[in-house]
Amino acid sequence: MNSTVSQAPDMRVSIGSLQLANPVMVASGTFGFGQEYADLMDIDALGAIVTKGTSLEPRKGNPAPRTAETPAGMLNSVGLENPGIEIFISDKLPWLHKARPAVIVNIIGSTIRDYAEITARLDAAEGVDALEVNISCPNVSAGGIAFGSDAQAAAEVSRVVRQQTNKPVLVKLTPNVTDIAEIAARVAETGINGLTLINTLKGLALDYRTGKPLLGNGIGGLSGPAIRPVAVRAVFEVCQVVDIPVVGCGGIVKWPDAVEFFRAGACAIQVGSATFRNPGAALEILDGLKEYMAEIGCTSVGDLVGTVQMDD
Ligand SMILES: Cc1cc2nc3c(=O)[nH]c(=O)nc-3n(C[C@H](O)[C@H](O)[C@H](O)COP(=O)(O)O)c2cc1C
């Protein structure tokens, strides 16, 4: 790092052939299909938009209530409500394609064949810059976390997606496992381009008077600042065993949170639940990062990556 620099820091990041203007993305399921936020912020300033999880067929999602507030976080069980891949391609993708940020499409399947078919459709669609494979959703009865919590199944989904497209592929892992590094290592061997860490942690909140769950579906996924140390630990552990880029996600609310993830080894970050409270959160984080880098004389965001200082 150079203390005499005065020009703006270089925020560009590459993940395989995916080129991002900056490392700040909005996380899947917390930013709709992008257009919903167009009047609330300067969307074009984002590095990437990761779209809401999309399946082959439309999904109705889980019963309400789908969200509940918890200490330093929230629980959700949306159950991947989405219009299905056809409507996504015809109605949502054209707008996203015109926007400046990279478009990363989050996909979900109940079977390996579902993942293959969605990937093939997206491979042929104009405007998809990369895929993010969700094998980590805790809120669906089939697929999702069932693939992500078994190293062999996780690798198999990743391999099948890899075979169906040359577009960059990120695989999003679940923290609800004993050894996330083992799963990451197996998935990385399949030739995918990066990993997103982490999806939500399984949680349950009850109404103490009635004993009933606060969520209509019972158990849900915990997100927000409460999970940040779990996410930073996952990024750190995984970066010890893989050579591919890691995208950090989980509890990022302010720019110092993002710096934590870079230091742990992430090359880019995603902002999730924080957007619900403050739609401008991701852009405030980007501005804060640039200011911090200028202040410490860091010319390139890559110079922060992996600068964790652990005692041996
Ligand atoms: C309401 C809600 C919906 C979500 N939907 C998806 C989804 O469709 N696909 C996915 O991979 N992750 C989904 N997630 C997980 C987030 O992308 C993110 O991994 C998680 O919330 C942790 O980040 P955060 O603490 O910044 O929110 C969802 C999270 C929330 C809160």
Side-chain angles (χ1 to χ4, degrees), residues 27-30 52-53 74 76 78 80 106 132 134 172 198-200 223-224 227 249-252 270-273 276:
S28 179
T30 63
K52 195 172 164 53
M74 63 178 280
N76 93 82
V78 173
L80 298 169
N106 183 283
E132 183 179 73
N134 178 359
K172 184 165 177 182
I198 56 175
N199 209 316
T200 53
S223 60
I227 72 167
C249 176
I252 299 175
Q270 296 182 358
V271 180
S273 319
F276 294 143

PDB file of all heavy atoms in Angstrom, residues 27-30 52-53 74 76 78 80 106 132 134 172 198-200 223-224 227 249-252 270-273 276, ligand 1:
ATOM      1  N   ALA A  27     -27.359  -8.994  -2.620  1.00  0.00           N
ATOM      2  CA  ALA A  27     -27.517 -10.446  -2.486  1.00  0.00           C
ATOM      3  C   ALA A  27     -28.878 -10.934  -2.988  1.00  0.00           C
ATOM      4  O   ALA A  27     -29.883 -10.219  -2.915  1.00  0.00           O
ATOM      5  CB  ALA A  27     -27.345 -10.843  -1.015  1.00  0.00           C
ATOM      6  N   SER A  28     -28.885 -12.156  -3.434  1.00  0.00           N
ATOM      7  CA  SER A  28     -30.105 -12.765  -3.960  1.00  0.00           C
ATOM      8  C   SER A  28     -31.248 -12.765  -2.944  1.00  0.00           C
ATOM      9  O   SER A  28     -31.043 -13.061  -1.763  1.00  0.00           O
ATOM     10  CB  SER A  28     -29.805 -14.213  -4.365  1.00  0.00           C
ATOM     11  OG  SER A  28     -30.973 -14.828  -4.846  1.00  0.00           O
ATOM     12  N   GLY A  29     -32.426 -12.439  -3.432  1.00  0.00           N
ATOM     13  CA  GLY A  29     -33.635 -12.492  -2.602  1.00  0.00           C
ATOM     14  C   GLY A  29     -33.856 -11.252  -1.766  1.00  0.00           C
ATOM     15  O   GLY A  29     -34.890 -11.133  -1.106  1.00  0.00           O
ATOM     16  N   THR A  30     -32.900 -10.327  -1.813  1.00  0.00           N
ATOM     17  CA  THR A  30     -33.050  -9.108  -1.015  1.00  0.00           C
ATOM     18  C   THR A  30     -33.138  -7.863  -1.896  1.00  0.00           C
ATOM     19  O   THR A  30     -33.186  -6.748  -1.402  1.00  0.00           O
ATOM     20  CB  THR A  30     -31.863  -8.934  -0.036  1.00  0.00           C
ATOM     21  OG1 THR A  30     -30.662  -8.778  -0.792  1.00  0.00           O
ATOM     22  CG2 THR A  30     -31.724 -10.137   0.875  1.00  0.00           C
ATOM     23  N   LYS A  52     -33.209 -12.566  -7.520  1.00  0.00           N
ATOM     24  CA  LYS A  52     -33.989 -13.467  -6.672  1.00  0.00           C
ATOM     25  C   LYS A  52     -33.880 -14.890  -7.225  1.00  0.00           C
ATOM     26  O   LYS A  52     -33.880 -15.069  -8.448  1.00  0.00           O
ATOM     27  CB  LYS A  52     -35.428 -12.979  -6.814  1.00  0.00           C
ATOM     28  CG  LYS A  52     -36.444 -13.427  -5.868  1.00  0.00           C
ATOM     29  CD  LYS A  52     -37.689 -12.566  -6.214  1.00  0.00           C
ATOM     30  CE  LYS A  52     -38.964 -13.113  -5.637  1.00  0.00           C
ATOM     31  NZ  LYS A  52     -38.955 -13.364  -4.238  1.00  0.00           N
ATOM     32  N   GLY A  53     -33.802 -15.883  -6.357  1.00  0.00           N
ATOM     33  CA  GLY A  53     -33.677 -17.272  -6.803  1.00  0.00           C
ATOM     34  C   GLY A  53     -34.774 -17.652  -7.790  1.00  0.00           C
ATOM     35  O   GLY A  53     -35.954 -17.444  -7.506  1.00  0.00           O
ATOM     36  N   MET A  74     -32.712 -11.137  11.219  1.00  0.00           N
ATOM     37  CA  MET A  74     -34.087 -11.500  10.874  1.00  0.00           C
ATOM     38  C   MET A  74     -34.136 -12.963  10.446  1.00  0.00           C
ATOM     39  O   MET A  74     -33.129 -13.532  10.012  1.00  0.00           O
ATOM     40  CB  MET A  74     -34.613 -10.614   9.742  1.00  0.00           C
ATOM     41  CG  MET A  74     -33.857 -10.741   8.433  1.00  0.00           C
ATOM     42  SD  MET A  74     -34.563  -9.711   7.107  1.00  0.00           S
ATOM     43  CE  MET A  74     -35.937 -10.720   6.571  1.00  0.00           C
ATOM     44  N   ASN A  76     -36.213 -15.559   7.825  1.00  0.00           N
ATOM     45  CA  ASN A  76     -37.156 -15.553   6.705  1.00  0.00           C
ATOM     46  C   ASN A  76     -37.419 -16.969   6.247  1.00  0.00           C
ATOM     47  O   ASN A  76     -36.579 -17.863   6.408  1.00  0.00           O
ATOM     48  CB  ASN A  76     -36.636 -14.689   5.543  1.00  0.00           C
ATOM     49  CG  ASN A  76     -35.851 -15.506   4.533  1.00  0.00           C
ATOM     50  OD1 ASN A  76     -36.407 -16.149   3.652  1.00  0.00           O
ATOM     51  ND2 ASN A  76     -34.523 -15.514   4.700  1.00  0.00           N
ATOM     52  N   VAL A  78     -39.194 -17.387   2.854  1.00  0.00           N
ATOM     53  CA  VAL A  78     -39.956 -16.981   1.667  1.00  0.00           C
ATOM     54  C   VAL A  78     -40.289 -18.213   0.834  1.00  0.00           C
ATOM     55  O   VAL A  78     -41.345 -18.297   0.207  1.00  0.00           O
ATOM     56  CB  VAL A  78     -39.142 -15.938   0.853  1.00  0.00           C
ATOM     57  CG1 VAL A  78     -39.820 -15.629  -0.474  1.00  0.00           C
ATOM     58  CG2 VAL A  78     -38.960 -14.661   1.666  1.00  0.00           C
ATOM     59  N   LEU A  80     -38.627 -19.283  -1.770  1.00  0.00           N
ATOM     60  CA  LEU A  80     -38.252 -19.095  -3.172  1.00  0.00           C
ATOM     61  C   LEU A  80     -39.427 -18.835  -4.109  1.00  0.00           C
ATOM     62  O   LEU A  80     -39.483 -19.372  -5.219  1.00  0.00           O
ATOM     63  CB  LEU A  80     -37.428 -20.304  -3.655  1.00  0.00           C
ATOM     64  CG  LEU A  80     -36.113 -20.477  -2.899  1.00  0.00           C
ATOM     65  CD1 LEU A  80     -35.477 -21.806  -3.206  1.00  0.00           C
ATOM     66  CD2 LEU A  80     -35.133 -19.347  -3.218  1.00  0.00           C
ATOM     67  N   ASN A 106     -29.397 -16.018  -9.889  1.00  0.00           N
ATOM     68  CA  ASN A 106     -29.398 -17.055  -8.847  1.00  0.00           C
ATOM     69  C   ASN A 106     -30.415 -18.121  -9.243  1.00  0.00           C
ATOM     70  O   ASN A 106     -31.580 -17.813  -9.491  1.00  0.00           O
ATOM     71  CB  ASN A 106     -29.757 -16.390  -7.514  1.00  0.00           C
ATOM     72  CG  ASN A 106     -29.733 -17.345  -6.339  1.00  0.00           C
ATOM     73  OD1 ASN A 106     -30.647 -18.140  -6.153  1.00  0.00           O
ATOM     74  ND2 ASN A 106     -28.701 -17.268  -5.518  1.00  0.00           N
ATOM     75  N   GLU A 132     -25.376 -17.843 -10.339  1.00  0.00           N
ATOM     76  CA  GLU A 132     -25.054 -18.201  -8.951  1.00  0.00           C
ATOM     77  C   GLU A 132     -25.964 -19.376  -8.600  1.00  0.00           C
ATOM     78  O   GLU A 132     -27.192 -19.243  -8.630  1.00  0.00           O
ATOM     79  CB  GLU A 132     -25.298 -17.023  -8.008  1.00  0.00           C
ATOM     80  CG  GLU A 132     -24.903 -17.353  -6.566  1.00  0.00           C
ATOM     81  CD  GLU A 132     -25.124 -16.177  -5.622  1.00  0.00           C
ATOM     82  OE1 GLU A 132     -26.301 -15.870  -5.308  1.00  0.00           O
ATOM     83  OE2 GLU A 132     -24.137 -15.568  -5.202  1.00  0.00           O
ATOM     84  N   ASN A 134     -27.725 -21.770  -6.282  1.00  0.00           N
ATOM     85  CA  ASN A 134     -28.165 -21.840  -4.883  1.00  0.00           C
ATOM     86  C   ASN A 134     -28.376 -23.304  -4.510  1.00  0.00           C
ATOM     87  O   ASN A 134     -29.378 -23.908  -4.901  1.00  0.00           O
ATOM     88  CB  ASN A 134     -29.449 -21.015  -4.727  1.00  0.00           C
ATOM     89  CG  ASN A 134     -30.009 -21.069  -3.321  1.00  0.00           C
ATOM     90  OD1 ASN A 134     -29.458 -21.744  -2.448  1.00  0.00           O
ATOM     91  ND2 ASN A 134     -31.105 -20.366  -3.095  1.00  0.00           N
ATOM     92  N   LYS A 172     -23.212 -21.081  -4.408  1.00  0.00           N
ATOM     93  CA  LYS A 172     -23.474 -20.477  -3.092  1.00  0.00           C
ATOM     94  C   LYS A 172     -23.673 -21.572  -2.048  1.00  0.00           C
ATOM     95  O   LYS A 172     -24.567 -22.412  -2.174  1.00  0.00           O
ATOM     96  CB  LYS A 172     -24.712 -19.581  -3.187  1.00  0.00           C
ATOM     97  CG  LYS A 172     -24.999 -18.832  -1.904  1.00  0.00           C
ATOM     98  CD  LYS A 172     -25.982 -17.717  -2.165  1.00  0.00           C
ATOM     99  CE  LYS A 172     -26.356 -16.981  -0.912  1.00  0.00           C
ATOM    100  NZ  LYS A 172     -27.344 -15.938  -1.172  1.00  0.00           N
ATOM    101  N   ILE A 198     -22.040 -16.625   2.731  1.00  0.00           N
ATOM    102  CA  ILE A 198     -22.836 -17.779   3.005  1.00  0.00           C
ATOM    103  C   ILE A 198     -24.323 -17.474   2.772  1.00  0.00           C
ATOM    104  O   ILE A 198     -24.721 -16.309   2.710  1.00  0.00           O
ATOM    105  CB  ILE A 198     -22.681 -18.235   4.508  1.00  0.00           C
ATOM    106  CG1 ILE A 198     -23.033 -17.072   5.434  1.00  0.00           C
ATOM    107  CG2 ILE A 198     -21.315 -18.800   4.767  1.00  0.00           C
ATOM    108  CD1 ILE A 198     -23.046 -17.418   6.921  1.00  0.00           C
ATOM    109  N   ASN A 199     -25.113 -18.528   2.697  1.00  0.00           N
ATOM    110  CA  ASN A 199     -26.567 -18.372   2.756  1.00  0.00           C
ATOM    111  C   ASN A 199     -26.965 -18.292   4.246  1.00  0.00           C
ATOM    112  O   ASN A 199     -26.106 -18.251   5.119  1.00  0.00           O
ATOM    113  CB  ASN A 199     -27.247 -19.549   2.048  1.00  0.00           C
ATOM    114  CG  ASN A 199     -28.597 -19.156   1.451  1.00  0.00           C
ATOM    115  OD1 ASN A 199     -29.387 -18.469   2.092  1.00  0.00           O
ATOM    116  ND2 ASN A 199     -28.857 -19.583   0.233  1.00  0.00           N
ATOM    117  N   THR A 200     -28.247 -18.303   4.511  1.00  0.00           N
ATOM    118  CA  THR A 200     -28.726 -18.101   5.889  1.00  0.00           C
ATOM    119  C   THR A 200     -28.469 -19.329   6.777  1.00  0.00           C
ATOM    120  O   THR A 200     -28.309 -20.448   6.295  1.00  0.00           O
ATOM    121  CB  THR A 200     -30.234 -17.812   5.880  1.00  0.00           C
ATOM    122  OG1 THR A 200     -30.886 -18.856   5.157  1.00  0.00           O
ATOM    123  CG2 THR A 200     -30.537 -16.471   5.252  1.00  0.00           C
ATOM    124  N   SER A 223     -30.493 -14.215   9.024  1.00  0.00           N
ATOM    125  CA  SER A 223     -29.550 -13.345   8.311  1.00  0.00           C
ATOM    126  C   SER A 223     -29.338 -12.085   9.128  1.00  0.00           C
ATOM    127  O   SER A 223     -29.958 -11.901  10.167  1.00  0.00           O
ATOM    128  CB  SER A 223     -30.114 -12.995   6.923  1.00  0.00           C
ATOM    129  OG  SER A 223     -31.356 -12.328   7.058  1.00  0.00           O
ATOM    130  N   GLY A 224     -28.459 -11.212   8.638  1.00  0.00           N
ATOM    131  CA  GLY A 224     -28.197  -9.961   9.338  1.00  0.00           C
ATOM    132  C   GLY A 224     -26.943 -10.031  10.182  1.00  0.00           C
ATOM    133  O   GLY A 224     -26.240 -11.056  10.196  1.00  0.00           O
ATOM    134  N   ILE A 227     -25.177 -13.042  12.009  1.00  0.00           N
ATOM    135  CA  ILE A 227     -24.453 -14.159  11.379  1.00  0.00           C
ATOM    136  C   ILE A 227     -23.075 -13.756  10.835  1.00  0.00           C
ATOM    137  O   ILE A 227     -22.350 -14.594  10.300  1.00  0.00           O
ATOM    138  CB  ILE A 227     -25.275 -14.829  10.243  1.00  0.00           C
ATOM    139  CG1 ILE A 227     -25.373 -13.942   8.982  1.00  0.00           C
ATOM    140  CG2 ILE A 227     -26.663 -15.212  10.734  1.00  0.00           C
ATOM    141  CD1 ILE A 227     -25.902 -14.699   7.755  1.00  0.00           C
ATOM    142  N   CYS A 249     -20.639 -12.887   2.066  1.00  0.00           N
ATOM    143  CA  CYS A 249     -22.003 -12.404   2.281  1.00  0.00           C
ATOM    144  C   CYS A 249     -22.469 -12.862   3.658  1.00  0.00           C
ATOM    145  O   CYS A 249     -22.240 -14.007   4.047  1.00  0.00           O
ATOM    146  CB  CYS A 249     -22.902 -13.003   1.209  1.00  0.00           C
ATOM    147  SG  CYS A 249     -24.639 -12.609   1.387  1.00  0.00           S
ATOM    148  N   GLY A 250     -23.129 -11.970   4.377  1.00  0.00           N
ATOM    149  CA  GLY A 250     -23.665 -12.344   5.689  1.00  0.00           C
ATOM    150  C   GLY A 250     -23.437 -11.231   6.690  1.00  0.00           C
ATOM    151  O   GLY A 250     -22.333 -11.038   7.173  1.00  0.00           O
ATOM    152  N   GLY A 251     -24.507 -10.470   6.941  1.00  0.00           N
ATOM    153  CA  GLY A 251     -24.450  -9.465   7.992  1.00  0.00           C
ATOM    154  C   GLY A 251     -23.677  -8.204   7.669  1.00  0.00           C
ATOM    155  O   GLY A 251     -23.295  -7.466   8.581  1.00  0.00           O
ATOM    156  N   ILE A 252     -23.454  -7.941   6.399  1.00  0.00           N
ATOM    157  CA  ILE A 252     -22.718  -6.712   6.043  1.00  0.00           C
ATOM    158  C   ILE A 252     -23.695  -5.531   6.050  1.00  0.00           C
ATOM    159  O   ILE A 252     -24.669  -5.517   5.304  1.00  0.00           O
ATOM    160  CB  ILE A 252     -22.028  -6.856   4.669  1.00  0.00           C
ATOM    161  CG1 ILE A 252     -21.022  -8.011   4.721  1.00  0.00           C
ATOM    162  CG2 ILE A 252     -21.351  -5.544   4.274  1.00  0.00           C
ATOM    163  CD1 ILE A 252     -20.355  -8.329   3.390  1.00  0.00           C
ATOM    164  N   GLN A 270     -21.417  -9.239  -0.910  1.00  0.00           N
ATOM    165  CA  GLN A 270     -22.843  -9.027  -1.193  1.00  0.00           C
ATOM    166  C   GLN A 270     -23.522  -8.459   0.041  1.00  0.00           C
ATOM    167  O   GLN A 270     -23.260  -8.911   1.164  1.00  0.00           O
ATOM    168  CB  GLN A 270     -23.519 -10.350  -1.564  1.00  0.00           C
ATOM    169  CG  GLN A 270     -22.976 -10.959  -2.846  1.00  0.00           C
ATOM    170  CD  GLN A 270     -23.668 -12.244  -3.247  1.00  0.00           C
ATOM    171  OE1 GLN A 270     -24.554 -12.740  -2.540  1.00  0.00           O
ATOM    172  NE2 GLN A 270     -23.274 -12.784  -4.383  1.00  0.00           N
ATOM    173  N   VAL A 271     -24.408  -7.502  -0.212  1.00  0.00           N
ATOM    174  CA  VAL A 271     -25.186  -6.893   0.860  1.00  0.00           C
ATOM    175  C   VAL A 271     -26.609  -7.447   0.757  1.00  0.00           C
ATOM    176  O   VAL A 271     -27.237  -7.341  -0.296  1.00  0.00           O
ATOM    177  CB  VAL A 271     -25.193  -5.348   0.716  1.00  0.00           C
ATOM    178  CG1 VAL A 271     -26.006  -4.713   1.825  1.00  0.00           C
ATOM    179  CG2 VAL A 271     -23.761  -4.824   0.706  1.00  0.00           C
ATOM    180  N   GLY A 272     -27.092  -8.060   1.841  1.00  0.00           N
ATOM    181  CA  GLY A 272     -28.413  -8.693   1.827  1.00  0.00           C
ATOM    182  C   GLY A 272     -29.437  -7.933   2.639  1.00  0.00           C
ATOM    183  O   GLY A 272     -29.894  -6.848   2.252  1.00  0.00           O
ATOM    184  N   SER A 273     -29.768  -8.470   3.821  1.00  0.00           N
ATOM    185  CA  SER A 273     -30.862  -7.904   4.637  1.00  0.00           C
ATOM    186  C   SER A 273     -30.708  -6.420   4.938  1.00  0.00           C
ATOM    187  O   SER A 273     -31.718  -5.750   5.179  1.00  0.00           O
ATOM    188  CB  SER A 273     -30.933  -8.607   5.992  1.00  0.00           C
ATOM    189  OG  SER A 273     -30.736  -9.963   5.887  1.00  0.00           O
ATOM    190  N   PHE A 276     -33.046  -3.982   3.315  1.00  0.00           N
ATOM    191  CA  PHE A 276     -34.449  -3.833   3.742  1.00  0.00           C
ATOM    192  C   PHE A 276     -34.613  -2.612   4.640  1.00  0.00           C
ATOM    193  O   PHE A 276     -35.605  -1.910   4.595  1.00  0.00           O
ATOM    194  CB  PHE A 276     -34.937  -5.080   4.489  1.00  0.00           C
ATOM    195  CG  PHE A 276     -35.020  -6.311   3.612  1.00  0.00           C
ATOM    196  CD1 PHE A 276     -34.686  -7.556   4.117  1.00  0.00           C
ATOM    197  CD2 PHE A 276     -35.436  -6.228   2.301  1.00  0.00           C
ATOM    198  CE1 PHE A 276     -34.767  -8.696   3.323  1.00  0.00           C
ATOM    199  CE2 PHE A 276     -35.520  -7.349   1.493  1.00  0.00           C
ATOM    200  CZ  PHE A 276     -35.185  -8.588   2.009  1.00  0.00           C
TER     201      PHE A 276
HETATM  202  C1  LIG B   1     -35.887 -12.467   2.458  1.00  0.00           C
HETATM  203  C2  LIG B   1     -34.670 -13.195   1.966  1.00  0.00           C
HETATM  204  C3  LIG B   1     -34.744 -13.918   0.764  1.00  0.00           C
HETATM  205  C4  LIG B   1     -33.621 -14.606   0.292  1.00  0.00           C
HETATM  206  N1  LIG B   1     -33.701 -15.293  -0.898  1.00  0.00           N
HETATM  207  C5  LIG B   1     -32.592 -15.907  -1.393  1.00  0.00           C
HETATM  208  C6  LIG B   1     -32.630 -16.565  -2.664  1.00  0.00           C
HETATM  209  O1  LIG B   1     -33.628 -16.538  -3.383  1.00  0.00           O
HETATM  210  N2  LIG B   1     -31.499 -17.209  -3.092  1.00  0.00           N
HETATM  211  C7  LIG B   1     -30.338 -17.223  -2.332  1.00  0.00           C
HETATM  212  O2  LIG B   1     -29.337 -17.817  -2.761  1.00  0.00           O
HETATM  213  N3  LIG B   1     -30.276 -16.582  -1.143  1.00  0.00           N
HETATM  214  C8  LIG B   1     -31.365 -15.933  -0.656  1.00  0.00           C
HETATM  215  N4  LIG B   1     -31.295 -15.273   0.543  1.00  0.00           N
HETATM  216  C9  LIG B   1     -30.018 -15.265   1.296  1.00  0.00           C
HETATM  217  C10 LIG B   1     -29.234 -13.969   1.051  1.00  0.00           C
HETATM  218  O3  LIG B   1     -28.894 -13.827  -0.311  1.00  0.00           O
HETATM  219  C11 LIG B   1     -27.958 -13.945   1.914  1.00  0.00           C
HETATM  220  O4  LIG B   1     -27.147 -15.047   1.573  1.00  0.00           O
HETATM  221  C12 LIG B   1     -28.258 -14.005   3.409  1.00  0.00           C
HETATM  222  O5  LIG B   1     -29.395 -13.233   3.718  1.00  0.00           O
HETATM  223  C13 LIG B   1     -27.080 -13.527   4.261  1.00  0.00           C
HETATM  224  O6  LIG B   1     -26.767 -12.179   3.987  1.00  0.00           O
HETATM  225  P1  LIG B   1     -27.292 -10.947   4.888  1.00  0.00           P
HETATM  226  O7  LIG B   1     -26.987 -11.297   6.303  1.00  0.00           O
HETATM  227  O8  LIG B   1     -26.530  -9.763   4.376  1.00  0.00           O
HETATM  228  O9  LIG B   1     -28.766 -10.832   4.645  1.00  0.00           O
HETATM  229  C14 LIG B   1     -32.406 -14.569   1.029  1.00  0.00           C
HETATM  230  C15 LIG B   1     -32.336 -13.838   2.230  1.00  0.00           C
HETATM  231  C16 LIG B   1     -33.440 -13.150   2.696  1.00  0.00           C
HETATM  232  C17 LIG B   1     -33.320 -12.350   3.970  1.00  0.00           C
END
